[in-house]
């Protein structure tokens, strides 16, 4: 898509920017500009001059000497151009100026051609008169230019004026890469809307009014659409008393800047509207339309049709055709027929503006080997509402340019028209999606610029039909981002899944549980969900324990498999017992399996199934080994804070003094401990056994896989060791809580490295030693910083009855 900046300014008149600023801003707001070219590149010091006098060159038969009035003075120019005469107004390059190329129309030199005063065959020449090729263009875009000679202006131009400006070359043509979902931007008006929103300038749409005569269009033409799926809308208007003539210079210049060769007023109007509105149009000679009837139908297999380019095309039943009462007159959306082409003798014209099925047009064009500018637009799926605006614009230009008389009314055949999309206005969602903090007022100002209507009472947004790319909330968020400015969106870390196809979050947590367990030497076991009611006695559960409330299986395999388990320990202890009695020395097992907790008894609904991560071991290792394994698991799933342990767990199947409930941020997530000796006896385990059970549903809300990178420390750490005599009732967790609370921002880590009870320690106490690390992120710590932090820690510990060892 190419547009001239001057054409854009027709709808955004307040636009002021350099070409590079325009390119950068439009690209940043989502309308990518591939590049631009100045039409006046290398055109310098070129004015309009009038030839006052012509004389023969005294020493050359093919040269003439001209006296040319350039407004400020009369200069002498020697030329060999055969087409000039006295009184002609011509473009004149003054001494020191430049032209874009040579008169032969060959490739333009990068830096142009400099013009200097000199002598031609002994006669002074103070400039040069230019052909259109020397001005960087050609006769395709300036059909009034002579085939061989100097360009001649009309009489209405002013002597001494800027010739480049008069020719419409003080302009820049921008090339855009438009994505296929933005079909509205395949038009100058669509680009202009984007420009207005990007630069926050008013957009002024064309005012389209058609007077029409006193006749009715139904008296001239009727339309029948037999396949409304392939043709959702067909609009037709009639213009009579047509006068074929060249289109005005302003229209020719705009078409030329867009790469379209001006032909005549009628053809130029259809091309102009196609560029302006992005709506291809076609004009038929009404006298060639049999029965004054248009029928839109599929072709028949094997039909042959001659198109405007003189080629015969073989059709099939998937090709949509425009027909009259007797014959085909055009291939819908692709090209008209030779049998209805516009000639200079036309008097009455039928204008067509329609919407066709995009995929069908694309497939038909490919099968026929005929792709046109019109098919390129239709295949993207045009807005049916645009057809009426475009055809009215064409009729308005017919009236304004004096090309003919417009018959009142329009034949409009359509099915159910596409409704405007309505979306809820959710500013918080847009900001959350973008990582921005744009106010509602700013969002609404953006929506107003892009013609999205806001209903304050319903808090809804109504999308104009020409924006077929806005269908859901994420599309609205994109509009906010585009015009708020991608460059203004702060850099934030992603807080969601960046890659599709990964495991769901729950399964990723479970996979981490497997990875950590196996890394720590545990092997996976799988236990039955069916159990015997006798297991509760083996685990020393009281008669009124909640775990005894079970789901009883209606048709069990036997009593040993008659209930659904509510605790995961029986299967684990049974597996450990089997290994122990087979003389396996060190065994570590883990299981991920459900327990089944009835919501009510008798059952009225399905029980709650809760995944339990169960660890069991005997041999090498102890309570603290098991504690380390579960803390390794917590760290791997983003639970960075230290869990807390409550020794008053009260679980009868665990050793009274070697058990603890595990909590995290106030939520109980599991338990661990040494299995009660009597329970071990019940399972024929003649050794110490340690278990841990973690409730996965309780852990999931606390876990995260978001990671924040922290650079390598720039400043050195300072280490302090403290050795304490601690009352036995004080737990390590209480000490660590004091260290964490009072260590301040410079506390990096702490670690228990020694614990001792013996003859050197008084009765009722134990010796504990911690290593504490301090480090600042922004400076090297001074002794005073560390001393102050340590003093706060020691003061807190003294309040717990703890003494420093000397």
């Amino acid at each position: 898509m190419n547009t001239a900046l001057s054409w854009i300014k027709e709808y955004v008149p307040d636009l002021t920017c350099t070409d590079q600023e325009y390119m950068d801003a439009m690209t940043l707001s989502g309308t990518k500009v591939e590049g631009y070219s100045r039409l006046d590149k290398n055109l310098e010091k070129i004015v309009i001059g009038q030839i006052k006098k012509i004389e023969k060159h005294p020493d050359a038969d093919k040269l003439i000497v001209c006296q040319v009035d350039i407004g400020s003075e009369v200069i002498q120019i020697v030329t060999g151009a055969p087409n000039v005469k006295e009184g002609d107004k011509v473009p004149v390059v003054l001494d020191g100026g430049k032209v874009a190329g040579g008169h032969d129309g060959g490739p333009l030199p990068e830096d142009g051609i400099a013009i200097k005063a000199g002598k031609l065959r002994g006669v002074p020449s103070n400039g040069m008169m230019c052909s259109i090729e020397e001005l960087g263009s050609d006769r395709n875009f300036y059909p009034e230019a002579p085939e061989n000679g100097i360009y001649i202006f009309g009489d209405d131009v002013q002597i001494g004026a800027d010739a480049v400006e008069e020719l419409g070359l003080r302009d820049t043509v921008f090339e855009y890469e438009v994505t296929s979902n933005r079909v509205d931007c395949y038009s100058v008006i669509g680009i202009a809307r984007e420009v207005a929103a990007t630069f926050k300038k008013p957009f002024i749409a064309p005012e389209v009014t058609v007077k029409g005569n006193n006749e009715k269009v139904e008296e001239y033409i009727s339309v029948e659409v037999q396949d409304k799926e392939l043709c959702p809308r067909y609009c037709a208007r009639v213009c009579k008393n047509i006068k074929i003539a060249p289109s005005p210079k302003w229209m020719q210049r705009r078409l030329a800047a867009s790469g379209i060769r001006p032909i005549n007023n009628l053809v130029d109007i259809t091309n102009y509207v196609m560029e302006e509105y992005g709506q291809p149009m076609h004009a038929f000679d009404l006298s060639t339309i049999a029965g004054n009837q248009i029928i839109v139908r599929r072709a028949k297999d094997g039909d042959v049709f001659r198109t405007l380019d003189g080629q015969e095309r073989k059709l099939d039943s998937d090709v949509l055709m425009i027909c009259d009462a007797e014959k085909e007159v055009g291939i819908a959306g692709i090209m008209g027929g030779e049998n209805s082409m516009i000639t200079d003798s036309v008097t009455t014209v039928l204008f067509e503006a329609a919407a066709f099925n995009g995929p069908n047009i694309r497939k038909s064009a490919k099968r026929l080997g005929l792709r046109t500018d019109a098919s390129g637009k239709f295949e993207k799926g045009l807005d049916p509402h645009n057809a009426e605006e475009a055809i009215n614009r064409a009729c308005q230009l017919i009236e304004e340019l004096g090309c003919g008389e417009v018959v009142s009314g329009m034949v409009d055949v359509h099915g159910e028209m596409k409704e405007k999309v309505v979306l809820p206005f959710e500013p918080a969602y847009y900001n959350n999606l973008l990582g921005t903090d744009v106010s509602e007022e700013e969002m609404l100002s953006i929506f107003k610029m892009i013609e999205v209507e806001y209903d304050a009472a319903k808090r809804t947004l109504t999308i104009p039909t020409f924006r077929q790319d806005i269908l859901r909330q994420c599309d609205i968020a994109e509009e906010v981002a585009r015009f708020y400015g991608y460059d203004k969106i702060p850099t934030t870390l992603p807080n969601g899944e960046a890659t599709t196809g990964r495991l769901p979050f729950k399964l990723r947590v479970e996979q981490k549980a497997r990875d950590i367990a196996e890394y720590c030497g545990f092997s996976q076991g799988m236990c039955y969900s069916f159990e015997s009611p006798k297991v509760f006695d083996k685990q020393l559960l009281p008669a009124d324990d909640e775990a005894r409330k079970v789901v009883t299986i209606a048709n069990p395999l036997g009593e040993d498999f008659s209930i659904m388990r509510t605790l995961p320990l029986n299967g684990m202890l049974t597996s450990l017992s089997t290994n122990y009695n087979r003389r396996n020395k060190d065994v570590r097992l883990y299981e991920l399996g459900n327990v089944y907790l009835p919501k009510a008894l008798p059952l009225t609904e399905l029980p709650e199934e809760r995944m339990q991560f169960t660890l069991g071991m005997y041999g090498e290792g102890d309570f603290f080994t098991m504690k380390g394994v579960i803390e390794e698991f917590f760290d791997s799933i983003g639970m960075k804070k230290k869990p807390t342990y409550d020794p008053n767990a009260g679980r009868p199947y665990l050793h009274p003094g070697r058990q603890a409930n595990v909590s995290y941020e106030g939520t109980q997530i599991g338990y661990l401990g040494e299995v009660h000796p009597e329970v071990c006896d019940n399972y024929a385990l003649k050794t110490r056994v340690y278990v841990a059970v973690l409730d996965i549903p309780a852990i999931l809300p606390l876990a995260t896989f978001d990671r924040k990178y922290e650079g390598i420390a720039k400043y050195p750490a300072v280490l302090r060791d403290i050795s304490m005599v601690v009352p036995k009732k004080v737990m390590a967790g209480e000490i660590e809580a004091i260290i964490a609370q009072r260590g301040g921002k410079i506390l990096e880590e702490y670690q228990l490295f020694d614990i001792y009870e013996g003859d050197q320690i008084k009765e009722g106490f134990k010796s504990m030693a911690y290593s504490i690390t301090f480090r600042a992120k922004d400076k090297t710590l001074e002794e005073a910083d560390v001393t102050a932090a340590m003093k706060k820690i020691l003061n807190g510990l003294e309040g717990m009855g703890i003494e420093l060892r000397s």
Side-chain angles (χ1 to χ4, degrees):
M1 177 70 189
N2 294 348
T3 66
L5 186 60
S6 60
W7 201 348
I8 295 294
K9 288 183 176 179
E10 182 75 15
Y11 314 113
V12 192
D14 294 343
L15 180 64
T16 55
C17 62
T18 66
D19 294 339
Q20 189 62 46
E21 288 171 345
Y22 180 95
M23 177 177 176
D24 293 343
M26 290 296 290
T27 299
L28 193 60
S29 68
T31 308
K32 184 181 179 183
V33 180
E34 288 284 347
Y36 62 88
S37 58
R38 291 285 309 179
L39 298 183
D40 58 356
K41 181 182 179 182
N42 296 324
L43 301 181
E44 300 176 9
K45 298 181 71 174
I46 304 177
V47 299
I48 298 174
Q50 185 173 33
I51 302 174
K52 292 297 185 181
K53 185 177 181 182
I54 298 179
E55 297 176 338
K56 290 185 177 181
H57 193 287
D59 198 23
D61 292 340
K62 293 185 178 181
L63 297 178
I64 58 176
V65 181
C66 302
Q67 304 300 319
V68 182
D69 183 3
I70 60 171
S72 57
E73 59 177 316
V74 176
I75 61 174
Q76 180 173 288
I77 297 177
V78 179
T79 183
N83 67 315
V84 295
K85 63 183 184 297
E86 292 182 358
D88 283 347
K89 294 180 179 179
V90 296
V92 177
V93 190
L94 304 179
D95 180 24
K98 272 187 179 183
V99 291
H103 66 278
D104 58 353
L108 301 180
E110 182 63 28
D111 298 324
I113 300 173
I115 304 299
K116 294 183 179 180
K119 291 184 177 182
L120 287 178
R121 301 291 292 271
V123 176
S125 181
N126 297 312
M128 184 181 81
M129 293 180 282
C130 307
S131 67
I132 197 64
E133 288 79 12
E134 288 165 329
L135 294 171
S137 190
D138 58 55
R139 293 185 65 251
N140 283 326
F141 302 121
Y142 291 83
E144 73 278 11
E147 185 174 351
N148 187 16
I150 303 301
Y151 183 86
I152 309 297
F153 285 105
D155 293 333
D156 56 340
V157 297
Q158 183 177 350
I159 297 171
D162 185 345
V164 179
E165 178 75 31
E166 184 63 35
L167 288 166
L169 295 174
R170 292 279 184 225
D171 206 350
T172 306
V173 176
F174 292 90
E175 179 185 356
Y176 306 87
E177 180 186 313
V178 182
T179 54
S180 57
N181 68 325
R182 288 303 306 274
V183 66
D184 59 301
C185 285
Y186 284 91
S187 67
V188 178
I189 285 180
I191 295 291
R193 284 193 183 101
E194 293 290 300
V195 171
T198 298
F199 290 93
K200 295 179 173 54
K201 302 292 184 181
F203 169 72
I204 301 175
E207 293 185 9
V208 179
T209 55
V210 182
K211 296 178 182 177
N213 60 18
N214 295 326
E215 298 175 286
K216 294 183 179 180
V217 69
E218 290 80 8
E219 298 171 359
Y220 285 82
I221 194 70
S222 64
V223 176
E224 177 188 352
V225 178
Q226 294 183 359
D227 194 328
K228 291 186 179 178
E229 181 182 351
L230 297 186
C231 180
R233 189 177 195 184
Y234 191 98
C235 299
R237 295 201 69 159
V238 173
C239 299
K240 66 178 192 176
N241 300 327
I242 295 298
K243 300 172 185 176
I244 300 295
S247 54
K249 291 289 189 293
W250 62 266
M251 182 176 285
Q252 292 187 31
R253 302 296 182 254
R254 288 180 182 175
L255 290 175
S258 298
I260 298 175
R261 181 170 64 92
I263 298 175
N264 60 48
N265 52 3
L266 195 58
V267 175
D268 290 354
I269 284 173
T270 58
N271 285 335
Y272 185 87
V273 172
M274 181 175 71
E275 291 299 303
E276 186 178 39
Y277 279 83
Q279 172 67 52
M281 294 184 57
H282 191 70
F284 299 99
D285 184 341
L286 189 59
S287 66
T288 66
I289 304 299
N292 284 24
Q293 186 179 14
I294 289 291
I295 301 172
V296 184
R297 61 169 174 80
R298 293 174 182 261
K300 297 176 183 177
D301 289 332
D303 282 356
V304 176
F305 181 70
R306 184 181 291 273
T307 49
L308 279 171
D309 57 3
Q311 300 293 315
E312 289 191 346
R313 314 285 176 177
K314 190 174 181 180
L315 309 175
D316 58 53
S317 59
D318 288 329
V319 177
L320 190 67
M321 301 297 294
I322 310 299
C323 310
D324 61 19
E326 300 174 355
K327 61 187 181 298
E328 297 94 346
V329 294
I331 303 176
I334 300 177
M335 185 177 282
E338 192 177 63
N339 56 9
S340 61
M341 66 184 295
I342 298 292
T343 63
D344 290 344
S345 61
V346 66
T347 58
T348 306
V349 167
L350 170 66
F351 276 132
E352 165 198 283
F356 300 113
N357 180 276
N360 176 263
I361 296 296
R362 178 176 59 81
K363 293 174 183 176
S364 297
K366 188 173 183 179
R367 286 198 305 277
L368 296 172
L370 180 61
R371 196 170 189 274
T372 61
D373 288 342
S375 69
K377 287 181 166 61
F378 276 122
E379 68 186 25
K380 294 173 177 64
L382 299 183
D383 175 17
H385 294 84
N386 196 39
E388 181 178 357
E389 296 180 31
I391 202 169
N392 288 338
R393 175 64 164 162
C395 291
Q396 177 191 31
L397 291 171
I398 289 285
E399 291 180 338
E400 289 181 353
L401 303 184
C403 300
E405 181 183 344
V406 178
V407 176
S408 292
M410 176 180 72
V411 177
D412 185 8
V413 179
H414 60 81
E416 186 176 345
M417 296 285 283
K418 179 182 177 182
E419 297 293 331
K420 293 182 178 180
V421 174
V422 179
L423 298 172
F425 177 49
E426 299 177 349
Y429 172 81
Y430 311 144
N431 279 323
N432 183 58
L433 191 64
L434 300 172
T436 55
D437 189 21
V438 184
S439 66
E440 285 193 21
E441 292 73 18
E442 188 167 357
M443 288 185 189
L444 292 175
S445 69
I446 290 172
F447 299 151
K448 184 177 181 181
M449 288 190 297
I450 60 175
E451 301 182 33
V452 171
E453 300 172 6
Y454 173 59
D455 187 327
K458 298 180 181 178
R459 284 185 69 81
T460 58
L461 302 170
T462 303
I463 315 302
T465 56
F466 61 79
R467 287 302 302 273
Q468 299 185 56
D469 59 308
I470 303 180
L471 301 173
R472 51 190 68 85
Q473 292 294 69
C474 59
D475 300 324
I476 285 290
E478 182 183 14
E479 296 303 297
V480 173
R482 290 201 304 130
F483 297 113
Y484 172 70
Y486 288 116
D487 55 326
K488 296 180 184 177
I489 296 177
T491 301
T492 56
L493 291 172
N495 60 4
E497 299 297 337
T499 307
T500 58
R502 302 183 70 174
L503 288 172
F505 183 78
K506 175 179 180 292
L507 297 185
R508 290 175 66 191
V509 171
E510 292 174 11
Q511 186 59 52
K512 275 294 180 184
R514 293 186 186 94
D515 292 344
I516 294 301
E518 290 167 10
Y519 171 76
C520 294
F522 288 75
S523 298
Q524 185 170 13
M526 298 187 70
C527 304
Y528 290 117
S529 295
F530 307 144
E531 290 185 339
S532 167
K534 297 174 184 178
V535 300
F536 300 127
D537 294 331
K538 291 176 70 175
Q539 295 172 24
L540 310 182
L541 287 177
D544 58 350
D545 196 283
E546 285 291 316
R548 288 181 179 268
K549 296 178 180 178
V550 298
V551 177
T552 303
I553 299 171
N555 55 344
L557 296 174
E559 186 182 8
D560 288 344
F561 303 98
S562 61
I563 63 170
M564 303 297 293
R565 65 178 178 179
T566 56
L567 290 174
L569 292 179
N570 178 63
M572 178 60 67
L573 294 175
T574 301
S575 297
L576 290 173
S577 176
T578 300
N579 279 274
Y580 179 80
N581 287 289
R582 289 178 180 173
R583 302 185 183 280
N584 289 325
K585 185 177 180 181
D586 297 302
V587 176
R588 295 186 177 191
L589 298 175
Y590 78 91
E591 181 197 12
L592 279 163
N594 289 334
V595 294
Y596 303 86
L597 307 178
K599 298 174 183 177
L601 288 175
L603 286 177
T604 56
E605 56 182 314
L606 291 174
E608 181 184 5
E609 299 183 27
R610 297 186 73 86
M611 177 67 69
Q612 307 288 290
F613 178 31
T614 307
L615 299 154
M617 70 179 190
Y618 67 80
E620 185 180 351
D622 57 15
F623 179 94
F624 296 103
T625 304
M626 186 66 81
K627 176 173 174 284
V629 173
I630 66 173
E631 288 184 356
E632 184 77 17
F633 168 57
F634 294 155
D635 185 69
S636 71
I637 59 174
M639 297 167 63
K640 296 299 183 183
K641 296 180 181 179
K642 285 187 175 292
T644 57
Y645 301 90
D646 180 7
N648 301 313
R651 299 184 183 272
Y653 39 82
L654 297 181
H655 193 292
R658 298 168 190 165
Q659 61 172 282
N661 283 334
V662 184
S663 298
Y664 188 87
E665 294 185 342
T667 301
Q668 184 175 320
I669 56 177
Y671 57 89
L672 81 160
E674 181 182 329
V675 177
H676 197 288
E678 190 175 337
V679 174
C680 285
D681 288 341
N682 291 338
Y683 284 91
L685 285 161
K686 306 301 182 181
T687 184
R688 289 189 173 186
V689 178
Y690 300 92
V691 294
V693 178
L694 300 178
D695 187 37
I696 295 297
I699 288 173
L700 290 177
L702 307 171
T704 176
F705 288 105
D706 291 347
R707 296 292 184 265
K708 183 176 181 181
Y709 170 75
E710 293 185 5
I712 298 173
K714 296 181 180 180
Y715 301 97
V718 178
L719 276 66
R720 291 286 187 270
D721 291 346
I722 55 173
S723 181
M724 305 167 286
V725 177
V726 182
K728 283 188 176 182
K729 64 178 182 179
V730 176
M731 294 183 293
E734 297 176 81
I735 296 173
E736 292 172 2
I738 292 293
I739 295 174
Q741 178 185 357
R742 293 176 172 252
K745 294 181 179 180
I746 63 173
L747 177 66
E748 185 173 81
E749 65 174 347
Y750 49 86
Q751 187 171 3
L752 175 67
F753 68 87
D754 183 59
I755 184 167
Y756 171 76
E757 295 181 35
D759 295 338
Q760 291 93 350
I761 306 300
K762 57 185 178 181
E763 189 175 349
F765 285 79
K766 57 189 173 182
S767 172
M768 300 178 71
Y770 276 88
S771 175
I772 304 175
T773 304
F774 298 96
R775 192 196 307 265
K777 294 181 179 181
D778 56 350
K779 66 175 183 176
T780 299
L781 288 175
E782 297 179 0
E783 180 66 26
D785 299 325
V786 179
T787 300
M790 285 298 299
K791 185 176 181 181
K792 291 181 180 178
I793 293 172
L794 295 174
N795 287 340
L797 295 175
E798 288 176 2
M800 301 171 66
I802 297 173
E803 302 173 6
L804 287 180
R805 291 187 65 181
S806 57

